[in-house]
Amino acid sequence: MNNKNPNNYKTIGWTVGYECNFRCPYCFVWRDASNKDLKLSVNEWINIWDRINNKYGKCIISLSGGEPSLYPGFFDIVRHLSKNNICVICTNFSWDPQKLIPDIPETNLRIFATFHPSFMDFNSFYEKVKFAKKYLDNSSVAFVAYKKQMKELPFYKEELAKIGVCLMIHPLRDEGFDIENGEVKNTDISKGQKIINDDEDKKTILDNTIVKDEYRLGLKSPKGKLCRSGKDSVCIWPDGTINRCTRYREESMGNITDKNFEFFESPKICNKDLCPIEYGMIIE
């Protein structure tokens, strides 16, 4: 998601649920679906988000998963949220964009779509992207740098460029899982030392991405620096738990169902060595 936030809105990353209709070999998220996830009605969610808006005003709400569109009442929730917030949907784009476009203005709805070639035909993805182009976050779509699907990268990149869309390459953050033989791959990725197995692949990723941030690639540490996470941004998990950081969950800030929930009043020191997600909140 684009880290630019010129109006200083509170940013809320909401993992709606872990359920997903894809089974990507480089992702563990869909394996984490749990009965502990909040299964609230559309009206219950509307009441929660109206409370947040009444307290903090307009927010940027990033809805992700799993695949968030699978959550019951998802499109009704987004329609309501987009009245008072900027909604960013992080999605595999398996749904019909006409469910939300053009009813919601592009100023209030952004789509951060990731292309997963093992589970979606490129032509189908391309047509959806073309239709929703004005709604694409940062005029880009994402592609995970999984070694088995890197071969077609130049083709995808060139075809999307024809309609003015950038293919943003996402390095693997954690261990990939190979369904074919059940072996865990790329275990060094989680340590922030490498992106995938060899330097040539790493160079390909850096040459083709619009995000070359040193924190994100594990080349620079945030440890000891002030960070606005918790003050200006939080993440909400499927069970409603709120944390300062997406990657680190040991310090809960409460639960989204808690009527007394508040953001931190000031930035706090980071004590972690790696920041692959909220790096835009680090104060240099």
Side-chain angles (χ1 to χ4, degrees):
M1 190 181 79
N2 193 344
N3 284 306
K4 294 179 180 179
N5 183 9
N7 296 299
N8 295 317
Y9 299 136
K10 298 294 186 185
T11 300
I12 302 172
W14 178 22
T15 302
V16 179
Y18 291 128
E19 183 181 355
C20 189
N21 50 342
F22 288 3
R23 295 292 183 266
C24 298
Y26 38 80
C27 179
F28 280 104
V29 173
W30 53 269
R31 298 171 181 275
D32 291 334
S34 167
N35 319 333
K36 296 180 181 178
D37 294 357
L38 286 178
K39 297 296 183 183
L40 304 182
S41 68
V42 171
N43 286 335
E44 287 174 313
W45 279 119
I46 285 174
N47 289 335
I48 287 173
W49 288 110
D50 283 353
R51 185 179 74 242
I52 297 295
N53 285 139
N54 289 337
K55 192 165 190 174
Y56 293 106
K58 188 174 186 176
C59 299
I60 298 175
I61 304 174
S62 176
L63 302 95
S64 64
E67 172 49 43
S69 66
L70 300 179
Y71 193 88
F74 175 79
F75 296 104
D76 289 331
I77 293 171
V78 171
R79 288 188 193 97
H80 181 82
L81 287 181
S82 63
K83 295 176 183 178
N84 301 308
N85 305 281
I86 298 172
C87 292
V88 184
I89 303 176
C90 303
T91 175
N92 61 28
F93 224 178
S94 55
W95 47 279
D96 183 354
Q98 294 186 60
K99 289 184 176 182
L100 297 175
I101 299 172
D103 296 340
I104 301 174
E106 59 194 83
T107 52
N108 289 23
L109 176 66
R110 308 304 295 166
I111 295 174
F112 188 80
T114 302
F115 176 49
H116 301 281
S118 296
F119 293 90
M120 178 173 282
D121 174 72
F122 179 71
N123 290 331
S124 174
F125 182 79
Y126 182 91
E127 290 303 317
K128 291 180 181 182
V129 166
K130 187 176 180 180
F131 175 78
K133 180 183 172 183
K134 290 183 179 180
Y135 289 79
L136 296 180
D137 191 59
N138 210 23
S139 299
S140 67
V141 295
F143 180 82
V144 178
Y146 181 57
K147 195 161 187 175
K148 292 186 178 181
Q149 61 191 35
M150 292 290 283
K151 184 178 179 181
E152 299 298 322
L153 171 63
F155 169 74
Y156 301 143
K157 180 186 176 186
E158 290 170 12
E159 290 300 303
L160 290 166
K162 291 176 182 178
I163 56 172
V165 175
C166 177
L167 187 63
M168 183 169 69
I169 313 304
H170 270 210
L172 288 170
R173 287 199 307 268
D174 294 303
E175 294 85 348
F177 189 86
D178 192 320
I179 292 176
E180 293 178 7
N181 56 27
E183 293 180 3
V184 174
K185 304 292 185 180
N186 301 323
T187 54
D188 58 334
I189 295 167
S190 63
K191 301 174 185 176
Q193 301 301 313
K194 293 176 67 177
I195 299 174
I196 46 182
N197 282 335
D198 57 65
D199 291 338
E200 190 58 35
D201 283 328
K202 182 172 181 177
K203 183 179 183 300
T204 300
I205 293 168
L206 291 174
D207 286 347
N208 286 281
T209 183
I210 60 172
V211 177
K212 299 183 179 180
D213 189 273
E214 292 180 307
Y215 290 110
R216 186 172 186 238
L217 297 175
L219 304 175
K220 193 173 181 180
S221 172
K223 194 168 187 176
K225 296 184 177 179
L226 281 172
C227 179
R228 295 184 292 110
S229 291
K231 174 186 177 293
D232 294 330
S233 71
V234 296
C235 51
I236 303 170
W237 300 105
D239 65 356
T241 300
I242 301 172
N243 287 107
R244 175 187 180 189
C245 300
T246 308
R247 186 181 179 95
Y248 307 108
R249 308 187 193 181
E250 62 266 33
E251 296 180 14
S252 170
M253 293 175 64
N255 194 285
I256 193 61
T257 58
D258 180 1
K259 294 181 180 179
N260 297 317
F261 162 72
E262 292 183 339
F263 283 77
F264 293 156
E265 292 186 359
S266 59
K268 294 186 179 293
I269 293 290
C270 176
N271 61 359
K272 306 298 182 183
D273 293 313
L274 178 66
C275 182
I277 302 174
E278 280 90 2
Y279 51 89
M281 294 291 167
I282 299 169
I283 299 174
E284 295 288 354

